[in-house]
Amino acid sequence: DGCGTDLAQVRQLLDRGRPVVLALFVSGAFTAAAAWLRTGTEIILPDDGEPIDRQRGHAVVAVGYGSFGSEDLILIRNSWGPAWGGDGHAWLRQPYLSRRLFGGFSISEGDGDVLQSDAGGIDARARVG
């Protein structure tokens, strides 16, 4: 399903057991471990207010959502390995995502070996070998 920048739709897709790929412009705080809030084993990235740098586009996978106090959060898995965040995961605050998110989609498995992206309506056959 295409969800664009609709965080409510991201949560709905996660409720249906479907991880969501998020395209966002990351900030310095995304890579600056010293700025992260650590609560137990969980990492929450700050909404740093940095200007958007359109040269810093990155994709992550939303794998959950929750709240910390009165703040809404989305749990992401990053592709940079277990040294980033908490074992490769971190919570992003909704204000951070709302400002920086420029697209999102989920991928579902179709009939047989057809993989389809609901975002583009394009089917692609999975090929092995």
Side-chain angles (χ1 to χ4, degrees):
D1 289 322
C3 59
T5 59
D6 185 350
L7 293 175
Q9 191 169 14
V10 170
R11 290 188 292 272
Q12 290 171 358
L13 288 164
L14 291 170
D15 282 343
R16 293 181 7 216
R18 297 186 48 195
V20 180
V21 177
L22 301 176
L24 59 134
F25 297 113
V26 297
S27 67
F30 194 86
T31 58
W36 300 345
L37 171 63
R38 298 172 190 276
T39 174
T41 60
E42 304 292 332
I43 304 293
I44 302 173
L45 274 66
D47 180 24
D48 53 24
E50 287 181 29
I52 303 297
D53 180 352
R54 297 198 180 279
Q55 301 300 310
R56 296 191 75 183
H58 185 56
V60 297
V61 179
V63 296
Y65 67 93
S67 61
F68 182 69
S70 62
E71 291 185 284
D72 290 329
L73 307 170
I74 298 285
L75 180 63
I76 62 160
R77 178 161 178 83
N78 195 0
S79 61
W80 296 345
W84 182 88
D87 197 28
H89 293 79
W91 293 94
L92 297 182
R93 292 176 158 105
Q94 189 156 340
Y96 185 93
L97 276 172
S98 294
R99 284 185 342 102
R100 298 181 173 281
L101 185 65
F102 63 89
F105 64 92
S106 69
I107 299 175
S108 62
E109 188 172 334
D111 294 332
D113 66 350
V114 176
L115 299 177
Q116 65 188 39
S117 166
D118 295 332
I122 299 171
D123 290 344
R125 293 273 174 208
R127 305 215 187 274
V128 178

